Amino acid sequence: MMRLWISYLQLVELFVSSLVHMLYGFYIFSSAVAGDLSQALNEYFHKVNNVNVEVREEISKPNQANDLPPIVLVHGIFGFGKGRLGALSYFAGAEKKDERVLVPDLGSLTSIYDRARELFYYLKGGQVDYGEEHSKACGHSQFGRIYEQGHYPEWDEDHPIHFVGHSAGAQVIRVLQQMLADKAFKGYENTSENWVLSVTSLSGAFNGTTRTYADGMLPEDGRTLKPICLLQLCRIGVIIYDWFDISWLKNYYNFGFDHYNMSWRKMGIWGLVDCLLGNAGPFASGDWILPDLTIQGSIRLNYHIRTFPNTYYFSYATKRTTKIMGVKVPSSILGIHPLLFIRVLQMCQWRFPPDVPPPYKGYRDEDWQDNDGALNTISMTHPRLPIEHPNCLVEKESDCLPLQPGIWYYKYVEGDHILFIINRERAGVQFDVIYDSIFQRCRKHVFRKKLPTMPNEINH
């Protein structure tokens, strides 16, 4: 009887979670459509005056902006870049705070590896090459989207870039930097880790999250999905969305699996059945983002990623929990987004199954209770698994100046996982404080100098 009651509660929780996520997705989509319609009407009624003003402003200061190294904002899971969802901004318009900011559109559910490859070609230009070995192992096309013109083709060690990543976007940047150090891009033998000037993480997924297990990943291996769970519903929805391949809809929002050729034109009805049964596609091969966000998956990634001595690192770790009578609970009701409130509570109470080996030696449930509704706070400060990287806690940002490269400076921030994206009004003044400090650090406190060569050192 007790088992039936627990199963019933789990099904109710699954239904509520699915409904909340669907409603939020519909809200985002409808907001983007409404924004586009409003913009189109404004342009129609005020066409001449607005065009003249905008052209003059754009022409007035291109040279000044071109002297600055770009700041690249990298979105997280289910995210989108400039050009998707119409005029809606993933970073809630933060890109307007600086003259030279790029917001790439990467696969919203593709693996960390695939997204890092896409980010490279977005900047340098050319056709995305996922690598022959990786593509064969995962069962997808080796080549993907073509960028006729890179957004920063001069990118090299003498023209390094600032990167800012939210959530999984932070790990994408780290994997990309390691690929640059390993010279992993065919035809670009001169890449190095020094192409990256700074990395700033906002709620970054460095060490995985226990939410992946709550949503359906099996804690036994961090790769397999439970038969009935939220992620199974997500998997089915994504496969069907890609199979129908409605061009205008995919231009508006794309999960990023085009290199898997899941369109009905290419795989037919039996290909769809094969994907739904878990015999083919990204969910069968594990080449999607959720396995990378488990604790085990993050350890596998981090095992190959270094922190480099000439790059500056800074991270903001968010949390929305507090302790009452020795029990971790959400720190607010109204201050947490409705999408995340239940998740904050679930992650506070989640325990690794006692009959399953822990993901690493020394794991303790209590270390992973603080969270922001999507990631555990312990995961966001700095890379710490399997080996802890050099780090420094920051109370006041002015106290850590001048910044030293090769060290992860981190700061705790009270907020949920989506406080600093999508909706600027939710964060209020805190939004400006966070992004102003990020851009100011990139422009004023992070730089790389080459020591001048002295006359008596020329031939030494």
Side-chain angles (χ1 to χ4, degrees), residues 412-446:
Y412 292 109
V413 179
E414 187 72 16
D416 62 46
H417 194 68
I418 58 176
L419 184 63
F420 301 108
I421 61 170
I422 308 296
N423 188 345
R424 183 176 187 151
E425 283 69 32
R426 278 195 68 231
V429 175
Q430 206 174 1
F431 180 93
D432 293 310
V433 171
I434 288 288
Y435 282 107
D436 285 347
S437 67
I438 291 173
F439 291 131
Q440 185 180 51
R441 189 183 311 113
C442 290
R443 295 304 183 210
K444 295 184 178 180
H445 302 298
V446 172

PDB file of all heavy atoms in Angstrom, residues 412-446:
ATOM      1  N   TYR A 412      29.586  34.547  -3.648  1.00  0.00           N
ATOM      2  CA  TYR A 412      28.229  34.046  -3.455  1.00  0.00           C
ATOM      3  C   TYR A 412      27.214  35.163  -3.688  1.00  0.00           C
ATOM      4  O   TYR A 412      27.411  36.301  -3.273  1.00  0.00           O
ATOM      5  CB  TYR A 412      28.055  33.490  -2.036  1.00  0.00           C
ATOM      6  CG  TYR A 412      28.853  32.235  -1.777  1.00  0.00           C
ATOM      7  CD1 TYR A 412      29.969  32.253  -0.943  1.00  0.00           C
ATOM      8  CD2 TYR A 412      28.492  31.026  -2.364  1.00  0.00           C
ATOM      9  CE1 TYR A 412      30.705  31.100  -0.694  1.00  0.00           C
ATOM     10  CE2 TYR A 412      29.222  29.866  -2.127  1.00  0.00           C
ATOM     11  CZ  TYR A 412      30.331  29.921  -1.295  1.00  0.00           C
ATOM     12  OH  TYR A 412      31.059  28.779  -1.059  1.00  0.00           O
ATOM     13  N   VAL A 413      26.120  34.803  -4.376  1.00  0.00           N
ATOM     14  CA  VAL A 413      25.063  35.763  -4.687  1.00  0.00           C
ATOM     15  C   VAL A 413      23.720  35.143  -4.325  1.00  0.00           C
ATOM     16  O   VAL A 413      23.457  33.976  -4.636  1.00  0.00           O
ATOM     17  CB  VAL A 413      25.066  36.138  -6.193  1.00  0.00           C
ATOM     18  CG1 VAL A 413      23.928  37.116  -6.497  1.00  0.00           C
ATOM     19  CG2 VAL A 413      26.400  36.734  -6.600  1.00  0.00           C
ATOM     20  N   GLU A 414      22.873  35.915  -3.650  1.00  0.00           N
ATOM     21  CA  GLU A 414      21.528  35.430  -3.311  1.00  0.00           C
ATOM     22  C   GLU A 414      20.625  35.571  -4.528  1.00  0.00           C
ATOM     23  O   GLU A 414      20.333  36.679  -4.976  1.00  0.00           O
ATOM     24  CB  GLU A 414      20.963  36.241  -2.137  1.00  0.00           C
ATOM     25  CG  GLU A 414      19.646  35.730  -1.590  1.00  0.00           C
ATOM     26  CD  GLU A 414      19.759  34.425  -0.816  1.00  0.00           C
ATOM     27  OE1 GLU A 414      20.904  34.056  -0.439  1.00  0.00           O
ATOM     28  OE2 GLU A 414      18.727  33.773  -0.606  1.00  0.00           O
ATOM     29  N   GLY A 415      20.207  34.456  -5.077  1.00  0.00           N
ATOM     30  CA  GLY A 415      19.345  34.493  -6.258  1.00  0.00           C
ATOM     31  C   GLY A 415      19.108  33.094  -6.793  1.00  0.00           C
ATOM     32  O   GLY A 415      19.877  32.168  -6.509  1.00  0.00           O
ATOM     33  N   ASP A 416      18.027  32.909  -7.561  1.00  0.00           N
ATOM     34  CA  ASP A 416      17.778  31.612  -8.179  1.00  0.00           C
ATOM     35  C   ASP A 416      18.500  31.531  -9.530  1.00  0.00           C
ATOM     36  O   ASP A 416      19.167  32.478  -9.949  1.00  0.00           O
ATOM     37  CB  ASP A 416      16.278  31.329  -8.308  1.00  0.00           C
ATOM     38  CG  ASP A 416      15.547  32.329  -9.203  1.00  0.00           C
ATOM     39  OD1 ASP A 416      16.051  32.633 -10.295  1.00  0.00           O
ATOM     40  OD2 ASP A 416      14.466  32.804  -8.809  1.00  0.00           O
ATOM     41  N   HIS A 417      18.336  30.412 -10.201  1.00  0.00           N
ATOM     42  CA  HIS A 417      19.166  30.121 -11.367  1.00  0.00           C
ATOM     43  C   HIS A 417      18.868  31.020 -12.563  1.00  0.00           C
ATOM     44  O   HIS A 417      19.740  31.216 -13.417  1.00  0.00           O
ATOM     45  CB  HIS A 417      18.986  28.655 -11.770  1.00  0.00           C
ATOM     46  CG  HIS A 417      20.025  28.159 -12.723  1.00  0.00           C
ATOM     47  ND1 HIS A 417      21.356  28.006 -12.367  1.00  0.00           N
ATOM     48  CD2 HIS A 417      19.956  27.801 -14.038  1.00  0.00           C
ATOM     49  CE1 HIS A 417      22.042  27.567 -13.401  1.00  0.00           C
ATOM     50  NE2 HIS A 417      21.224  27.437 -14.427  1.00  0.00           N
ATOM     51  N   ILE A 418      17.663  31.551 -12.654  1.00  0.00           N
ATOM     52  CA  ILE A 418      17.317  32.372 -13.821  1.00  0.00           C
ATOM     53  C   ILE A 418      17.077  33.837 -13.448  1.00  0.00           C
ATOM     54  O   ILE A 418      16.439  34.572 -14.196  1.00  0.00           O
ATOM     55  CB  ILE A 418      16.081  31.795 -14.560  1.00  0.00           C
ATOM     56  CG1 ILE A 418      14.879  31.707 -13.629  1.00  0.00           C
ATOM     57  CG2 ILE A 418      16.408  30.436 -15.152  1.00  0.00           C
ATOM     58  CD1 ILE A 418      13.603  31.232 -14.332  1.00  0.00           C
ATOM     59  N   LEU A 419      17.635  34.249 -12.297  1.00  0.00           N
ATOM     60  CA  LEU A 419      17.427  35.632 -11.853  1.00  0.00           C
ATOM     61  C   LEU A 419      18.074  36.639 -12.796  1.00  0.00           C
ATOM     62  O   LEU A 419      17.556  37.738 -13.005  1.00  0.00           O
ATOM     63  CB  LEU A 419      17.991  35.817 -10.443  1.00  0.00           C
ATOM     64  CG  LEU A 419      17.759  37.195  -9.798  1.00  0.00           C
ATOM     65  CD1 LEU A 419      16.267  37.454  -9.602  1.00  0.00           C
ATOM     66  CD2 LEU A 419      18.492  37.307  -8.466  1.00  0.00           C
ATOM     67  N   PHE A 420      19.204  36.265 -13.398  1.00  0.00           N
ATOM     68  CA  PHE A 420      19.971  37.215 -14.210  1.00  0.00           C
ATOM     69  C   PHE A 420      19.828  36.980 -15.714  1.00  0.00           C
ATOM     70  O   PHE A 420      20.653  37.426 -16.504  1.00  0.00           O
ATOM     71  CB  PHE A 420      21.444  37.181 -13.799  1.00  0.00           C
ATOM     72  CG  PHE A 420      21.639  37.531 -12.349  1.00  0.00           C
ATOM     73  CD1 PHE A 420      21.992  36.561 -11.425  1.00  0.00           C
ATOM     74  CD2 PHE A 420      21.445  38.826 -11.905  1.00  0.00           C
ATOM     75  CE1 PHE A 420      22.163  36.877 -10.088  1.00  0.00           C
ATOM     76  CE2 PHE A 420      21.603  39.156 -10.571  1.00  0.00           C
ATOM     77  CZ  PHE A 420      21.964  38.182  -9.654  1.00  0.00           C
ATOM     78  N   ILE A 421      18.779  36.266 -16.105  1.00  0.00           N
ATOM     79  CA  ILE A 421      18.515  36.055 -17.529  1.00  0.00           C
ATOM     80  C   ILE A 421      17.023  36.256 -17.811  1.00  0.00           C
ATOM     81  O   ILE A 421      16.201  36.290 -16.894  1.00  0.00           O
ATOM     82  CB  ILE A 421      18.947  34.645 -18.000  1.00  0.00           C
ATOM     83  CG1 ILE A 421      18.175  33.559 -17.234  1.00  0.00           C
ATOM     84  CG2 ILE A 421      20.450  34.458 -17.844  1.00  0.00           C
ATOM     85  CD1 ILE A 421      18.356  32.156 -17.789  1.00  0.00           C
ATOM     86  N   ILE A 422      16.688  36.370 -19.079  1.00  0.00           N
ATOM     87  CA  ILE A 422      15.326  36.453 -19.612  1.00  0.00           C
ATOM     88  C   ILE A 422      14.573  37.706 -19.170  1.00  0.00           C
ATOM     89  O   ILE A 422      14.209  38.553 -19.981  1.00  0.00           O
ATOM     90  CB  ILE A 422      14.489  35.193 -19.275  1.00  0.00           C
ATOM     91  CG1 ILE A 422      15.230  33.918 -19.696  1.00  0.00           C
ATOM     92  CG2 ILE A 422      13.130  35.290 -19.954  1.00  0.00           C
ATOM     93  CD1 ILE A 422      15.458  33.770 -21.161  1.00  0.00           C
ATOM     94  N   ASN A 423      14.320  37.828 -17.856  1.00  0.00           N
ATOM     95  CA  ASN A 423      13.486  38.912 -17.345  1.00  0.00           C
ATOM     96  C   ASN A 423      14.308  39.844 -16.457  1.00  0.00           C
ATOM     97  O   ASN A 423      14.595  39.530 -15.302  1.00  0.00           O
ATOM     98  CB  ASN A 423      12.302  38.342 -16.554  1.00  0.00           C
ATOM     99  CG  ASN A 423      11.294  39.400 -16.154  1.00  0.00           C
ATOM    100  OD1 ASN A 423      11.569  40.600 -16.212  1.00  0.00           O
ATOM    101  ND2 ASN A 423      10.113  38.962 -15.752  1.00  0.00           N
ATOM    102  N   ARG A 424      14.675  40.979 -16.985  1.00  0.00           N
ATOM    103  CA  ARG A 424      15.537  41.926 -16.276  1.00  0.00           C
ATOM    104  C   ARG A 424      14.878  42.487 -15.020  1.00  0.00           C
ATOM    105  O   ARG A 424      15.546  42.759 -14.015  1.00  0.00           O
ATOM    106  CB  ARG A 424      15.896  43.062 -17.233  1.00  0.00           C
ATOM    107  CG  ARG A 424      16.848  44.083 -16.664  1.00  0.00           C
ATOM    108  CD  ARG A 424      17.224  45.097 -17.716  1.00  0.00           C
ATOM    109  NE  ARG A 424      18.262  45.995 -17.254  1.00  0.00           N
ATOM    110  CZ  ARG A 424      19.139  46.562 -18.043  1.00  0.00           C
ATOM    111  NH1 ARG A 424      19.129  46.292 -19.330  1.00  0.00           N
ATOM    112  NH2 ARG A 424      20.042  47.385 -17.560  1.00  0.00           N
ATOM    113  N   GLU A 425      13.560  42.672 -15.059  1.00  0.00           N
ATOM    114  CA  GLU A 425      12.863  43.316 -13.948  1.00  0.00           C
ATOM    115  C   GLU A 425      12.921  42.490 -12.667  1.00  0.00           C
ATOM    116  O   GLU A 425      12.890  43.037 -11.568  1.00  0.00           O
ATOM    117  CB  GLU A 425      11.396  43.581 -14.320  1.00  0.00           C
ATOM    118  CG  GLU A 425      11.183  44.774 -15.232  1.00  0.00           C
ATOM    119  CD  GLU A 425      11.718  44.542 -16.640  1.00  0.00           C
ATOM    120  OE1 GLU A 425      11.683  43.377 -17.102  1.00  0.00           O
ATOM    121  OE2 GLU A 425      12.181  45.512 -17.269  1.00  0.00           O
ATOM    122  N   ARG A 426      13.008  41.153 -12.789  1.00  0.00           N
ATOM    123  CA  ARG A 426      13.024  40.304 -11.586  1.00  0.00           C
ATOM    124  C   ARG A 426      14.228  40.614 -10.707  1.00  0.00           C
ATOM    125  O   ARG A 426      14.129  40.634  -9.486  1.00  0.00           O
ATOM    126  CB  ARG A 426      13.069  38.824 -11.977  1.00  0.00           C
ATOM    127  CG  ARG A 426      11.735  38.220 -12.335  1.00  0.00           C
ATOM    128  CD  ARG A 426      11.833  36.699 -12.351  1.00  0.00           C
ATOM    129  NE  ARG A 426      12.039  36.167 -11.020  1.00  0.00           N
ATOM    130  CZ  ARG A 426      12.996  35.312 -10.693  1.00  0.00           C
ATOM    131  NH1 ARG A 426      13.857  34.901 -11.599  1.00  0.00           N
ATOM    132  NH2 ARG A 426      13.092  34.867  -9.461  1.00  0.00           N
ATOM    133  N   ALA A 427      15.372  40.827 -11.310  1.00  0.00           N
ATOM    134  CA  ALA A 427      16.595  41.056 -10.536  1.00  0.00           C
ATOM    135  C   ALA A 427      16.713  42.496 -10.054  1.00  0.00           C
ATOM    136  O   ALA A 427      17.434  42.767  -9.090  1.00  0.00           O
ATOM    137  CB  ALA A 427      17.819  40.685 -11.367  1.00  0.00           C
ATOM    138  N   GLY A 428      16.013  43.417 -10.714  1.00  0.00           N
ATOM    139  CA  GLY A 428      16.057  44.818 -10.296  1.00  0.00           C
ATOM    140  C   GLY A 428      17.460  45.395 -10.359  1.00  0.00           C
ATOM    141  O   GLY A 428      18.213  45.170 -11.315  1.00  0.00           O
ATOM    142  N   VAL A 429      17.838  46.103  -9.316  1.00  0.00           N
ATOM    143  CA  VAL A 429      19.149  46.763  -9.250  1.00  0.00           C
ATOM    144  C   VAL A 429      20.273  45.732  -9.297  1.00  0.00           C
ATOM    145  O   VAL A 429      21.352  45.987  -9.841  1.00  0.00           O
ATOM    146  CB  VAL A 429      19.265  47.617  -7.972  1.00  0.00           C
ATOM    147  CG1 VAL A 429      20.665  48.214  -7.842  1.00  0.00           C
ATOM    148  CG2 VAL A 429      18.214  48.716  -7.968  1.00  0.00           C
ATOM    149  N   GLN A 430      20.022  44.551  -8.746  1.00  0.00           N
ATOM    150  CA  GLN A 430      21.051  43.503  -8.699  1.00  0.00           C
ATOM    151  C   GLN A 430      21.514  43.101 -10.094  1.00  0.00           C
ATOM    152  O   GLN A 430      22.675  42.717 -10.288  1.00  0.00           O
ATOM    153  CB  GLN A 430      20.501  42.281  -7.947  1.00  0.00           C
ATOM    154  CG  GLN A 430      21.588  41.437  -7.288  1.00  0.00           C
ATOM    155  CD  GLN A 430      21.019  40.334  -6.429  1.00  0.00           C
ATOM    156  OE1 GLN A 430      19.797  40.174  -6.319  1.00  0.00           O
ATOM    157  NE2 GLN A 430      21.881  39.539  -5.829  1.00  0.00           N
ATOM    158  N   PHE A 431      20.610  43.174 -11.057  1.00  0.00           N
ATOM    159  CA  PHE A 431      20.957  42.861 -12.444  1.00  0.00           C
ATOM    160  C   PHE A 431      22.069  43.783 -12.929  1.00  0.00           C
ATOM    161  O   PHE A 431      23.081  43.334 -13.490  1.00  0.00           O
ATOM    162  CB  PHE A 431      19.712  43.018 -13.332  1.00  0.00           C
ATOM    163  CG  PHE A 431      19.952  42.714 -14.790  1.00  0.00           C
ATOM    164  CD1 PHE A 431      19.717  41.442 -15.283  1.00  0.00           C
ATOM    165  CD2 PHE A 431      20.403  43.696 -15.663  1.00  0.00           C
ATOM    166  CE1 PHE A 431      19.931  41.161 -16.632  1.00  0.00           C
ATOM    167  CE2 PHE A 431      20.619  43.419 -17.007  1.00  0.00           C
ATOM    168  CZ  PHE A 431      20.382  42.147 -17.491  1.00  0.00           C
ATOM    169  N   ASP A 432      21.891  45.074 -12.725  1.00  0.00           N
ATOM    170  CA  ASP A 432      22.894  46.052 -13.168  1.00  0.00           C
ATOM    171  C   ASP A 432      24.193  45.899 -12.395  1.00  0.00           C
ATOM    172  O   ASP A 432      25.282  46.033 -12.955  1.00  0.00           O
ATOM    173  CB  ASP A 432      22.349  47.475 -13.015  1.00  0.00           C
ATOM    174  CG  ASP A 432      21.187  47.749 -13.959  1.00  0.00           C
ATOM    175  OD1 ASP A 432      21.335  47.469 -15.162  1.00  0.00           O
ATOM    176  OD2 ASP A 432      20.139  48.224 -13.492  1.00  0.00           O
ATOM    177  N   VAL A 433      24.097  45.613 -11.103  1.00  0.00           N
ATOM    178  CA  VAL A 433      25.303  45.453 -10.278  1.00  0.00           C
ATOM    179  C   VAL A 433      26.155  44.306 -10.799  1.00  0.00           C
ATOM    180  O   VAL A 433      27.376  44.430 -10.957  1.00  0.00           O
ATOM    181  CB  VAL A 433      24.928  45.227  -8.794  1.00  0.00           C
ATOM    182  CG1 VAL A 433      26.164  44.833  -7.984  1.00  0.00           C
ATOM    183  CG2 VAL A 433      24.292  46.473  -8.194  1.00  0.00           C
ATOM    184  N   ILE A 434      25.508  43.163 -11.083  1.00  0.00           N
ATOM    185  CA  ILE A 434      26.243  41.983 -11.545  1.00  0.00           C
ATOM    186  C   ILE A 434      26.877  42.220 -12.906  1.00  0.00           C
ATOM    187  O   ILE A 434      28.094  42.046 -13.096  1.00  0.00           O
ATOM    188  CB  ILE A 434      25.309  40.755 -11.611  1.00  0.00           C
ATOM    189  CG1 ILE A 434      24.950  40.271 -10.211  1.00  0.00           C
ATOM    190  CG2 ILE A 434      25.955  39.626 -12.419  1.00  0.00           C
ATOM    191  CD1 ILE A 434      26.086  39.585  -9.472  1.00  0.00           C
ATOM    192  N   TYR A 435      26.087  42.631 -13.880  1.00  0.00           N
ATOM    193  CA  TYR A 435      26.614  42.770 -15.240  1.00  0.00           C
ATOM    194  C   TYR A 435      27.565  43.960 -15.371  1.00  0.00           C
ATOM    195  O   TYR A 435      28.540  43.891 -16.130  1.00  0.00           O
ATOM    196  CB  TYR A 435      25.475  42.853 -16.255  1.00  0.00           C
ATOM    197  CG  TYR A 435      24.869  41.511 -16.558  1.00  0.00           C
ATOM    198  CD1 TYR A 435      23.611  41.166 -16.067  1.00  0.00           C
ATOM    199  CD2 TYR A 435      25.563  40.565 -17.315  1.00  0.00           C
ATOM    200  CE1 TYR A 435      23.051  39.920 -16.339  1.00  0.00           C
ATOM    201  CE2 TYR A 435      25.024  39.321 -17.586  1.00  0.00           C
ATOM    202  CZ  TYR A 435      23.762  38.993 -17.099  1.00  0.00           C
ATOM    203  OH  TYR A 435      23.229  37.752 -17.365  1.00  0.00           O
ATOM    204  N   ASP A 436      27.312  45.034 -14.650  1.00  0.00           N
ATOM    205  CA  ASP A 436      28.257  46.165 -14.680  1.00  0.00           C
ATOM    206  C   ASP A 436      29.615  45.742 -14.144  1.00  0.00           C
ATOM    207  O   ASP A 436      30.664  46.116 -14.682  1.00  0.00           O
ATOM    208  CB  ASP A 436      27.715  47.349 -13.869  1.00  0.00           C
ATOM    209  CG  ASP A 436      26.594  48.087 -14.587  1.00  0.00           C
ATOM    210  OD1 ASP A 436      26.414  47.844 -15.803  1.00  0.00           O
ATOM    211  OD2 ASP A 436      25.891  48.887 -13.937  1.00  0.00           O
ATOM    212  N   SER A 437      29.608  44.947 -13.076  1.00  0.00           N
ATOM    213  CA  SER A 437      30.883  44.485 -12.508  1.00  0.00           C
ATOM    214  C   SER A 437      31.593  43.536 -13.473  1.00  0.00           C
ATOM    215  O   SER A 437      32.823  43.576 -13.594  1.00  0.00           O
ATOM    216  CB  SER A 437      30.644  43.793 -11.162  1.00  0.00           C
ATOM    217  OG  SER A 437      29.926  42.586 -11.309  1.00  0.00           O
ATOM    218  N   ILE A 438      30.835  42.688 -14.186  1.00  0.00           N
ATOM    219  CA  ILE A 438      31.439  41.763 -15.156  1.00  0.00           C
ATOM    220  C   ILE A 438      32.109  42.534 -16.284  1.00  0.00           C
ATOM    221  O   ILE A 438      33.282  42.306 -16.613  1.00  0.00           O
ATOM    222  CB  ILE A 438      30.380  40.793 -15.721  1.00  0.00           C
ATOM    223  CG1 ILE A 438      29.919  39.813 -14.638  1.00  0.00           C
ATOM    224  CG2 ILE A 438      30.943  40.025 -16.927  1.00  0.00           C
ATOM    225  CD1 ILE A 438      28.758  38.928 -15.063  1.00  0.00           C
ATOM    226  N   PHE A 439      31.368  43.465 -16.893  1.00  0.00           N
ATOM    227  CA  PHE A 439      31.912  44.211 -18.022  1.00  0.00           C
ATOM    228  C   PHE A 439      33.036  45.151 -17.595  1.00  0.00           C
ATOM    229  O   PHE A 439      34.017  45.332 -18.325  1.00  0.00           O
ATOM    230  CB  PHE A 439      30.798  44.985 -18.731  1.00  0.00           C
ATOM    231  CG  PHE A 439      29.819  44.099 -19.447  1.00  0.00           C
ATOM    232  CD1 PHE A 439      28.452  44.259 -19.285  1.00  0.00           C
ATOM    233  CD2 PHE A 439      30.254  43.089 -20.278  1.00  0.00           C
ATOM    234  CE1 PHE A 439      27.545  43.445 -19.947  1.00  0.00           C
ATOM    235  CE2 PHE A 439      29.361  42.258 -20.942  1.00  0.00           C
ATOM    236  CZ  PHE A 439      28.002  42.434 -20.780  1.00  0.00           C
ATOM    237  N   GLN A 440      32.912  45.735 -16.422  1.00  0.00           N
ATOM    238  CA  GLN A 440      33.970  46.616 -15.938  1.00  0.00           C
ATOM    239  C   GLN A 440      35.256  45.829 -15.684  1.00  0.00           C
ATOM    240  O   GLN A 440      36.355  46.282 -15.987  1.00  0.00           O
ATOM    241  CB  GLN A 440      33.524  47.316 -14.655  1.00  0.00           C
ATOM    242  CG  GLN A 440      34.529  48.350 -14.141  1.00  0.00           C
ATOM    243  CD  GLN A 440      34.048  49.024 -12.872  1.00  0.00           C
ATOM    244  OE1 GLN A 440      33.665  48.369 -11.913  1.00  0.00           O
ATOM    245  NE2 GLN A 440      34.086  50.351 -12.850  1.00  0.00           N
ATOM    246  N   ARG A 441      35.097  44.615 -15.138  1.00  0.00           N
ATOM    247  CA  ARG A 441      36.279  43.783 -14.899  1.00  0.00           C
ATOM    248  C   ARG A 441      36.962  43.425 -16.221  1.00  0.00           C
ATOM    249  O   ARG A 441      38.192  43.467 -16.333  1.00  0.00           O
ATOM    250  CB  ARG A 441      35.871  42.514 -14.151  1.00  0.00           C
ATOM    251  CG  ARG A 441      37.059  41.672 -13.669  1.00  0.00           C
ATOM    252  CD  ARG A 441      36.601  40.394 -12.991  1.00  0.00           C
ATOM    253  NE  ARG A 441      35.590  40.650 -11.998  1.00  0.00           N
ATOM    254  CZ  ARG A 441      34.333  40.243 -12.100  1.00  0.00           C
ATOM    255  NH1 ARG A 441      33.946  39.562 -13.154  1.00  0.00           N
ATOM    256  NH2 ARG A 441      33.466  40.511 -11.158  1.00  0.00           N
ATOM    257  N   CYS A 442      36.164  43.090 -17.201  1.00  0.00           N
ATOM    258  CA  CYS A 442      36.729  42.732 -18.509  1.00  0.00           C
ATOM    259  C   CYS A 442      37.471  43.914 -19.138  1.00  0.00           C
ATOM    260  O   CYS A 442      38.519  43.732 -19.768  1.00  0.00           O
ATOM    261  CB  CYS A 442      35.624  42.261 -19.450  1.00  0.00           C
ATOM    262  SG  CYS A 442      34.910  40.657 -19.026  1.00  0.00           S
ATOM    263  N   ARG A 443      36.958  45.108 -18.977  1.00  0.00           N
ATOM    264  CA  ARG A 443      37.523  46.277 -19.662  1.00  0.00           C
ATOM    265  C   ARG A 443      38.624  46.973 -18.876  1.00  0.00           C
ATOM    266  O   ARG A 443      39.541  47.553 -19.466  1.00  0.00           O
ATOM    267  CB  ARG A 443      36.407  47.283 -19.968  1.00  0.00           C
ATOM    268  CG  ARG A 443      35.353  46.783 -20.956  1.00  0.00           C
ATOM    269  CD  ARG A 443      35.982  46.356 -22.262  1.00  0.00           C
ATOM    270  NE  ARG A 443      34.985  45.927 -23.255  1.00  0.00           N
ATOM    271  CZ  ARG A 443      35.241  45.030 -24.171  1.00  0.00           C
ATOM    272  NH1 ARG A 443      36.421  44.424 -24.215  1.00  0.00           N
ATOM    273  NH2 ARG A 443      34.316  44.699 -25.065  1.00  0.00           N
ATOM    274  N   LYS A 444      38.586  46.882 -17.541  1.00  0.00           N
ATOM    275  CA  LYS A 444      39.516  47.690 -16.752  1.00  0.00           C
ATOM    276  C   LYS A 444      40.523  46.899 -15.922  1.00  0.00           C
ATOM    277  O   LYS A 444      41.592  47.403 -15.609  1.00  0.00           O
ATOM    278  CB  LYS A 444      38.734  48.615 -15.814  1.00  0.00           C
ATOM    279  CG  LYS A 444      37.905  49.664 -16.537  1.00  0.00           C
ATOM    280  CD  LYS A 444      37.241  50.614 -15.541  1.00  0.00           C
ATOM    281  CE  LYS A 444      36.455  51.701 -16.261  1.00  0.00           C
ATOM    282  NZ  LYS A 444      35.806  52.637 -15.304  1.00  0.00           N
ATOM    283  N   HIS A 445      40.170  45.668 -15.551  1.00  0.00           N
ATOM    284  CA  HIS A 445      41.029  44.955 -14.606  1.00  0.00           C
ATOM    285  C   HIS A 445      41.623  43.662 -15.148  1.00  0.00           C
ATOM    286  O   HIS A 445      42.403  43.004 -14.465  1.00  0.00           O
ATOM    287  CB  HIS A 445      40.242  44.637 -13.326  1.00  0.00           C
ATOM    288  CG  HIS A 445      39.688  45.854 -12.645  1.00  0.00           C
ATOM    289  ND1 HIS A 445      40.489  46.846 -12.145  1.00  0.00           N
ATOM    290  CD2 HIS A 445      38.410  46.232 -12.406  1.00  0.00           C
ATOM    291  CE1 HIS A 445      39.736  47.802 -11.606  1.00  0.00           C
ATOM    292  NE2 HIS A 445      38.470  47.456 -11.755  1.00  0.00           N
ATOM    293  N   VAL A 446      41.247  43.289 -16.355  1.00  0.00           N
ATOM    294  CA  VAL A 446      41.761  42.045 -16.943  1.00  0.00           C
ATOM    295  C   VAL A 446      42.470  42.375 -18.244  1.00  0.00           C
ATOM    296  O   VAL A 446      41.856  42.832 -19.202  1.00  0.00           O
ATOM    297  CB  VAL A 446      40.606  41.051 -17.205  1.00  0.00           C
ATOM    298  CG1 VAL A 446      41.107  39.866 -17.983  1.00  0.00           C
ATOM    299  CG2 VAL A 446      39.979  40.606 -15.897  1.00  0.00           C
TER     300      VAL A 446
END
